[in-house]
Structures are given as structure tokens and as C-alpha cells.
Amino acid sequence: MMRPSPSDDRHFGLTVGTLSPGTVLSCGAQTPLAEAITKMRHANSSSIIVVEANRPTGIVTEHDLLRLPASSAKARAQPVETIMSKPVHTISVHASPQSAIVRMRERDVRHLVTVDENGCLVSIISQTDLIRQVSNKKPFIANDVADAVRQSTIFADVDLPVWELRQRMHSEKCDSAIVTGFTDSSDPKMQTGIITERDILRQLADGDDGVTAGQLATRPVTIIQQDMNLNDARNIMINARIRHLVVHNRHNEVIGVLSFADLLEFIEQDYLVYLSNVTQDGSNELAQARQSLALARKLIENSPDCVMVCNARGEIEAVNPAFTRVTGYQAEEVIGKNPRILQSGRQSKSFYTKMWTDLARTGKWEGEIWNRRKSGETFAEWLSIMAIRDGDGTITHYASIFTDISGREKSREDVLRIAFTDELTGMPNRRRFSELLSLHIGRARRAGRRLTMLLLDIDNFQRVNSALGHNAGDDVLVEVSRRISRELGHDAVMARVGADEYAAILSDVKTEQEALNLAERLLVRLGEPHLTRKGEDLYLSSSIGLAAFPEDANDTSNLIRCAEMAMMQAKEQGRNRVGRYSVNLHSQKGADLALENALRRALDNDELHLVYQPQFDAKTGALYGVEALVRWTTPEGKNIPPSTFIPIAEEMGVIGQLGRWVLRTACRQLVSWRQEGLYNLRLAVNVSVQQFYGTVDFAEQVRAIIVDKGLAADRLEIEITESLFMRNIDDMRSKLQRVRDLGVSISLDDFGTGFSSLSYLRRLPFDVIKLDRSFVTDIDEGDEGKSLAITIINMAHNLGKTCVAEGVENQNQLDVLRDAGCELIQGYLLGRPMAAEDISKIAKAAAA
């Protein structure tokens, strides 16, 4: 065997902590063995650790499972502690891989549990981890497989019961067995099988004690020749992710199995030979070490950074000249003393406790710390501490390197001032306000006091910038901040938290009424005229939201959110007022948010469906067409009305997605009715304003759906409301005309309920006017209500439009509308919204 040179041993700097897998299986001592076996199989793990209070007390490995009796059912029902191996063989997480190799061989185990300084479980390292992550850096240059293949190999016939083979593997201390006697193939690889401890684990997890070796064996096996180099064999194992290779001699006869355990033995021998040769050549290497040590000392002495070395007890053993230059202490003044002589007192006890905890856990710490020079002056330093360990992972020294950064602190204070201050008003900014609010909440909590937060927004302030310019706007913002400061007084903490938004902490306001009175006075003060640069008076209004700790919220972020909701409530109620947060307000906002989230899920999970309300010919009573109506039923069976979720869909910006789905689905259904022989049905679909102003032209969307579904355009009708075209009548006329040019009809829905105008009825390309249900209901209220409905119908006819009356619920309404010449009727009297199948039944019954 060739001895590697020290330079080949690059992996010696690793620790077992870096080799351990990220996840470790663990269980309690009373866990049923069957449950532990199942966990091992699902995780494809060779072991599970038994823990108590996060300390390992036992271990169950695949090898331990070989001890189970022939009938394993009873044993698998017992707790894990009946079969676990104990005590657990542990090793420090900081120990070297070579120490782990030697310890495994000394104690004849294949697993070591890694623990921290407190003996708590960290992970587990196995032979497999060492082979895969260590041996690839130490090639077996001069060794063949024949040198490592085990001499005792179990051979089993295909008909041998697995329970009997399991007991043989246990008694002969083998982790695998060769299975022979297969006659179902001429392929040599299929004539031999292999059973490993992992296969035994699988069989035990399945609970079938009656299987034979031939049924359990893995085929085909991976075969190598005995003269193959060990390094090549190792690579095959790693690349194929297997732990056993079947070895043939030159006559292609099976002579044994090569496993990871065999490779590990050679790694250990390789390492021990290295140590032996190091001892034999000690004088030469010691000379090199002394030379390297002298060089290191030279570098430390001339380093501009301060260096301090302490022993494991925390006593200073050495410092460099830079340490003396920065701290003022000579080496002889500090050696043998504890580094606490440098402490400034600016860090708390908990700071140092955490620092030493991190050092013990990770072996290093880095951060900013304040210390004191010999002169008494405090200074900031950037400190790095590293724990130095011996081969067994025991800490022997601590090396500290630090740099004086006190000059940097002044610059940082300037940066922080800029980062936390609003440049225009000099007030704290939003970031600083959050910190101050958190601080005041903490004080109020400890003192059991009330705390009020005020949030103020200038109403429509963007108009000031647009009309007068940003310079004049800045003047106004500064004046607003002055008025707020004068009105709230010195005891309030004030901040500018947005472009035209201010916040205040009112820690001395004791009651809700006192806070409301103060806010109302502030509104009056801010409503007084502001003198612009041009000498003109500018009038502003503001909206204020109030929230209190601890009644409304118990922490910073929630208190700010409550104040924001109260302020938005003030704006929604007309502006220039004070909004007070209430639980009902929060509940409503929370309900709206929950409904938004539920609607997003509904769109993704197909919770929406369509129903169809029939429209009838007023004179003949024949079915004329249908209006498609979207419905939402949650998975819990709750029906959400369209009047609730349609506005939310528009606010969320998903109405375009919803509208396209409704139009496609309804058109698909119209085609299905046509295939059933219902050729004359017309389909009306409601459209939102956002669909006309989306990124894709609405007329193009309609055209694509008509073409895709093979639908006759004159069978489709688009319903819009008056609000759709109030923003820009000329633009909407163009958009509607492109839809109408496709052959699609346009219907004006809810006519008379908005800003109805004869001028736009004449200018816009409508085909149908829908009489709103409110006018239909008024028919029953007397002659005046009846006359209004008749007048609207006559007006529609005079404009050449078809009239549809919706919401018809009794015979009197139907008679009046029919006598007035209304063409189409829609309402509960003749038909409620119904499923597509019911529309088919109505149409077919009328045709029969």
C-alpha cells in the first residue's frame, strides 16, 4: 500500500459536522418498533436514534433488526427500547472524520451519533457518509478488489425463508447474502441476487414473514472482477448509489461481496499508515512546522489588526503590538487576566451570554462591540472570535481579531440621522416612527397605561402639486407639520410617514373623548387658510384616524393598521372628519380580505357556475332567450350572492378573468342547446366596465370566442349598465360599435336608475333597453307608477329599441307591460334562474 503525502490529505480540515446529513430520524423509547421501522423505510435511512430530552439514549439500526425472531409480528409491536442498542456511541460534532473512522473500528460500529458540547443530539454519521464524502479524496492507488473482498460470504438458495436467512446474517455478522438458484434467465447478472440489510428492513416494514430469499432478492446485481482497482469499485458504488458489489474471479465465479465497510477498513489503514510515517519522519516535518510557526508569529506581530489569544478558561495568553497600540495595555498587564477588563459596560449581560452561546454552538462569533481603552475612553471595534479545537473536537483556545472602527461610528451616526429623518420637515420618518411607537407601546404596557395613535392624511393633496407646483406643495407640507406640532404640543411624538401623511403618538391622552376632541381641534386648525407664495389663500381639509393601545391592538404593526382603517373610514364617509377604530370595522375589513382570498381560490378551483333566467315573448308566452347569471357556491355549501362578489372582483382586478370565463361558458352552453335542436334561443351576458378597458380589446375577445365556439353572432347579446359609458361617451361609442359590427346585439341594462339621457340613447348603438325592476314594481303602486313604466316603453319604441322588462313577479304587472307593447318579459312569475338542463326541458316542452 502506498503512503499518501501530507499534501494529499486535504480532507483533514473537515469535521464530522460537515459530513453529517441534514435530517436525522429520532423517536422515543416507547415508540412501537413497527412505527420506527416504517419511518426508517420511508426515509430510506439505515438507523433511527432514540432520544430523551434531546439527548441520545439508544439507536436502532438495520443490523439490529437482524436479531428479530422468526415470527416478527409480536416483536414489532413492542416498544423500541426492547431492541435498541445502548449506550449510544457518540462523537463531538467538531471532531475530524479520521477520528470517526478510528472510533468506528475500535468499537466495531457502523454509526456514530454526533453531539454538541451539552451532549445534545446534532445528527448521525455512518460508514456511508465517510465513504461518499471522505474516501473520494484518498484514492486506493495500489489496491485491487481482491485485497478487500470479505472472505466469509453467505450463500442462500432461492427457496430459503427470509426469516432463516435473517438469523444467519445476524449470527455470522454479515450485512448481505448472495442468493443463487435462479433459472428464469440466461443473463449471469439475473442468475444471482443479493439481499442486504436494507432489503430486510423493507420486508419487516411490510410485515410479511413468509417470503423467500428468491422473492426478496434484488436483481440484476452489479458485478465486478476481482482484479479491478478499489478506486474504480468505489466510484461505481458512489455513482450507482449502491453499497454492495458482487465480485467474480477470472472464471466468472462468485467469490464474495465488496461493501462500504470493506472500503472503510482500507481508509482507516491508510490513515494509520500516514500517522506512522509522520512519526518516523517527525524530525523533518517538525522542522517544517517550526518554520511555519515562526512565519505565523511574524505575521501576527506585524498585523495592523489587534490579536488576542485566550486559553479554554478565558485567560489571555498572548497579544500582539497592535493590541497595545489600540487599547493602551502592555502585554504583561493583560496576560493571565480575563478579557472582561476591556468591557465598556455598554453591552448587557445578555449580549455576552448570547456571544458565548454562539461560540459554543458554532465555534465562531463576529460582530460590533464597544470596549474601553486603558485611558477610560470607550471605542467601537469589529471583533471576530474563533474557537480552536484539538483532533477530538475539544476547545483548547480562543483567537480574537479586532479592528478599531470608532472613526466609522461618527459617519454611521450621520447616515442613521438621514435614514430616520424626513428631510423636508425635520420630523421622524415612517421607519423611525415605527421604532418610536414600539418603544412607547413597551413603556405603556409596563406601566399599564393607555396609548393613542393618530394618523392624518391631507385630502386630495395631489391637486395642490398639480395646480401650484411642487415647491408650493412643499411649503404647505412644512406649514402642516408646524400646525400639527403646535396643536398637539411637546408631549406628542410626531412624524411624517408619507407624502401627505402624518402620524402622532399621544401618550398623555387618557380617554377616547379627549383624543377625539384633540383631533377635531386639529382639523379646525388645518382647515384655516394657507398663504401661498403668490399671496393667495389655500384651503385644505384632512382625514384623521384614531386607534388606541391596548383596546384596539397590542403591538406596533396592528395599531398602525387599525389607525389606517379608521382614517380610510373617515375618507369614505366624506373626508374632513375623524374616524375612530372599532372592532366592527376590523371585522368588516377582515371579512372583505377573507372573501377576496376565497374568490381567488374559487376562480382557480372551478367553484363558480352559471344559471340561466328565461326571457319570454310577452304576447305569445314562448321562450325567447336566456340571461346568463354567475353564481358562487363555496366548498362548504355557502352561496355568495353576485351583489357581494362582483364588486370585489372589480376591486381586485379579476373581473376581466371572471367575465371571460362567463362569456366562454355561456357561449359553449348555447352551442350545446343548438346541438339539442334548440336553434332559436338568444343569449344575454352582462359585461363589466373593466372588461372594456382591459389590456386586450373587448371586441376582439368576443370575436375570438364566437369563432372558437362556432356561434352565430346574432344569437349573442351583451348587456351593459349606464355607468359603463359615463366616463367618456365618445370612446365607449367606438368600443360598442366594434362589438356591434360583429353582429352582436347591445342591451342597456337597468335603464332609468342612473343618469339616463335621451342624447346618449340616440348616440350609442343600443338595440335593447331593459326596464329596471324598480319601475316594474312601481306598477302596483298606482297610476303614477304605471304611467312611468308605460312612458319608458313608448320612448324605447320611438327610438327603435326592443324593450325587456325584468323583475316581473305577478299577473297585474305582466298585463300592464303586455298591453303597453313591451316585447319581452323576465322575472320570477314566468321563470326563476335555473340550470341549463331545465332550460332544455322548458324549450322542448313548448315545442312538443
Side-chain angles (χ1 to χ4, degrees), residues 823-837:
E823 289 88 347
L824 300 173
I825 301 297
Q826 176 180 330
Y828 284 6
L829 176 64
L830 300 178
R832 292 173 174 267
M834 61 187 69
E837 296 80 5

Side-chain angles (χ1 to χ4, degrees), residues 173-192:
K173 297 183 178 180
C174 285
D175 63 357
S176 63
I178 297 294
V179 181
T180 59
F182 295 99
T183 59
D184 55 353
S185 174
S186 59
D187 186 349
K189 294 182 179 180
M190 295 296 292
Q191 293 174 1
T192 303

Side-chain angles (χ1 to χ4, degrees), residues 391-438:
D392 291 330
T394 303
I395 296 176
T396 61
H397 290 83
Y398 295 98
S400 303
I401 303 175
F402 61 90
T403 305
D404 184 354
I405 59 170
S406 53
R408 251 184 266 168
E409 284 300 305
K410 179 63 171 63
S411 299
R412 189 171 72 164
E413 288 174 3
D414 294 338
V415 171
L416 289 176
R417 179 180 53 79
I418 296 172
F420 289 114
T421 304
D422 174 55
E423 185 177 357
L424 178 65
T425 64
M427 284 182 163
N429 60 14
R430 187 179 191 90
R431 179 179 177 184
R432 181 58 176 159
F433 178 78
S434 296
E435 292 183 354
L436 292 171
L437 181 59
S438 178

Side-chain angles (χ1 to χ4, degrees), residues 775-787:
F775 296 109
V776 174
T777 301
D778 287 346
I779 291 176
D780 295 330
E781 300 300 321
D783 292 340
E784 184 176 342
K786 184 186 304 182
S787 298

Side-chain angles (χ1 to χ4, degrees), residues 3 89 93 199 223 234 397 405 440 442 535 562 767 816 839:
R3 178 181 66 84
H89 297 284
V93 71
D199 298 316
I223 299 174
R234 186 272 319 280
H397 290 83
I405 59 170
H440 279 75
C562 291
D767 301 287
V816 171
I839 294 293

Side-chain angles (χ1 to χ4, degrees), residues 28-34 36 60 74-84:
Q30 297 303 313
T31 302
L33 180 58
V60 176
K74 183 177 180 180
R76 287 187 291 110
Q78 297 297 314
V80 165
E81 65 179 356
T82 60
I83 193 174
M84 71 181 187

Side-chain angles (χ1 to χ4, degrees), residues 249-313:
N249 61 18
R250 62 178 57 90
H251 304 296
N252 289 327
E253 298 169 338
V254 177
I255 62 171
V257 175
L258 179 71
S259 70
F260 268 6
D262 303 319
L263 293 180
L264 189 64
E265 183 175 354
F266 268 77
I267 296 174
E268 179 202 10
Q269 293 173 12
D270 191 38
Y271 178 58
L272 294 177
V273 169
Y274 165 73
L275 294 179
S276 174
N277 288 325
V278 165
T279 303
Q280 294 171 9
D281 298 335
S283 58
N284 181 46
E285 295 188 9
L286 183 57
Q288 294 179 359
R290 286 174 177 169
Q291 183 180 356
S292 298
L293 182 59
L295 178 61
R297 286 176 176 170
K298 200 74 173 177
L299 290 172
I300 291 173
E301 288 176 1
N302 291 278
S303 171
D305 295 327
C306 305
V307 178
M308 178 176 65
V309 179
C310 299
N311 59 28
R313 296 185 300 275

